[in-house]
Amino acid sequence: LRAITIMGGEPFLNPTLADWVQGLNRLFGIEIQILTNGSRFSYAKDLYRHMIYRSPRTQARNHIGVSLHNMNDFEKLDQDIRGWLDGPVRMLPKGENMWNSDWHYVDRNGIMVNVYISNNFGNAAIQVAETGRFKLHNNDIHAAHQNCAFVKWKSYHFIRGKLYKCGPAALLPEFDRQYPFDISEEDRLLLNSYRALDPDNFADYSEEFFANLDNPIAQCKFCPTTYDAITIYPVRKGSGFK
């Protein structure tokens, strides 16, 4: 592994997040990035001491990345980050920090928080059908795979004890159970046929799984072939559009 990121759902909602960070550092010996929306720093006081870890292999520290989805939240986020870090805190804007983050915070212990403006998103696999229900693409698997960001960044997902080639292979079936897709039963069987790698099948499946990580899977057909960025403006419950 070259990098490990703990990401969403919102990781700061997990009461055992500090245990995960400590365990992953111990098992793999590399630094951890926690990717959060930044709304719950005040609930993560016990996490701070685990950010001091420095990888003996890469010499890099654990750190936090914040995806800022709404610029109206920046002022409160800035206060929360400074309150969570141990002052004095230096804040370097984009162009003045090596992380290429929009804002880079570092405190006197070298603990880092990087904030990235994240309101542009690529086309999703899930679309709204004419019926008002949700649907998926029906694309060429090679074209979809060639333009996939998960493939480009070799971003694999470990979910509920199983390793997946990509997030959609794990999460689209779960979405379908909650909000059934407007797709054929044949496609539904295909959607649920992906075989993840887990401790029970590792002995007889791991070699095949890793050998095919760089190849398309049948479920690639459900994803888009282009990723045109669009801006999304989030709206909080109980609040007006900003």
Side-chain angles (χ1 to χ4, degrees):
L1 291 177
R2 292 183 294 177
I4 297 176
T5 300
I6 300 176
M7 55 189 297
E10 172 51 45
F12 278 16
L13 288 171
N14 188 333
T16 63
L17 177 59
D19 296 333
W20 276 86
V21 172
Q22 187 177 30
L24 288 168
N25 285 150
R26 186 175 64 249
L27 282 170
F28 297 104
I30 60 175
E31 70 281 1
I32 308 297
Q33 177 186 219
I34 301 172
L35 191 59
T36 171
N37 65 20
S39 64
R40 295 178 63 87
F41 272 96
S42 60
Y43 294 86
K45 296 294 186 183
D46 63 329
L47 187 63
Y48 181 89
R49 60 191 176 93
H50 297 291
M51 293 292 104
I52 296 175
Y53 174 87
R54 185 187 294 275
S55 166
R57 196 173 89 196
T58 67
Q59 297 304 306
R61 286 186 180 273
N62 289 343
H63 57 281
I64 292 177
V66 177
S67 293
L68 178 61
H69 300 308
N70 191 331
M71 280 302 300
N72 292 317
D73 295 332
F74 177 73
E75 185 175 343
K76 183 179 185 305
L77 175 64
D78 177 76
Q79 294 173 357
D80 288 348
I81 292 174
R82 293 178 186 275
W84 185 79
L85 292 171
D86 187 5
V89 175
R90 288 188 302 134
M91 192 266 276
L92 301 176
K94 193 167 189 171
E96 296 181 25
N97 68 81
M98 62 177 289
W99 295 87
N100 199 35
S101 57
D102 291 284
W103 295 278
H104 170 79
Y105 296 80
V106 60
D107 69 9
R108 62 184 172 187
N109 296 314
I111 307 302
M112 296 177 292
V113 176
N114 288 298
V115 178
Y116 303 89
I117 299 175
S118 303
N119 57 5
N120 287 326
F121 297 85
N123 302 339
I126 299 172
Q127 310 162 82
V128 179
E130 294 76 9
T131 60
R133 293 169 59 192
F134 295 105
K135 66 178 182 178
L136 296 170
H137 293 272
N138 184 21
N139 283 324
D140 176 79
I141 64 171
H142 298 281
H145 189 264
Q146 183 178 358
N147 291 284
C148 178
F150 293 123
V151 174
K152 177 181 178 180
W153 301 109
K154 294 187 179 293
S155 180
Y156 313 124
H157 285 63
F158 187 69
I159 299 172
R160 296 193 179 95
K162 297 182 179 183
L163 184 62
Y164 293 81
K165 174 178 169 62
C166 61
L171 300 176
L172 290 180
E174 183 171 322
F175 189 100
D176 184 48
R177 287 190 288 272
Q178 298 180 45
Y179 304 96
F181 288 122
D182 190 0
I183 56 177
S184 68
E185 287 308 307
E186 181 181 3
D187 276 350
R188 181 161 284 109
L189 287 172
L190 177 62
L191 185 69
N192 288 277
S193 67
Y194 178 82
R195 189 184 183 194
L197 184 66
D198 62 40
D200 294 328
N201 65 26
F202 190 88
D204 64 358
Y205 181 48
S206 59
E207 187 174 338
E208 177 185 345
F209 179 86
F210 290 118
N212 286 291
L213 270 182
D214 292 331
N215 300 326
I217 57 176
Q219 292 76 15
C220 288
K221 68 172 283 186
F222 298 122
C223 288
T225 56
T226 60
Y227 283 88
D228 302 318
I230 59 172
T231 301
I232 294 178
Y233 299 95
V235 178
R236 251 191 231 100
K237 283 186 177 181
S239 67
F241 182 86
K242 294 184 178 180

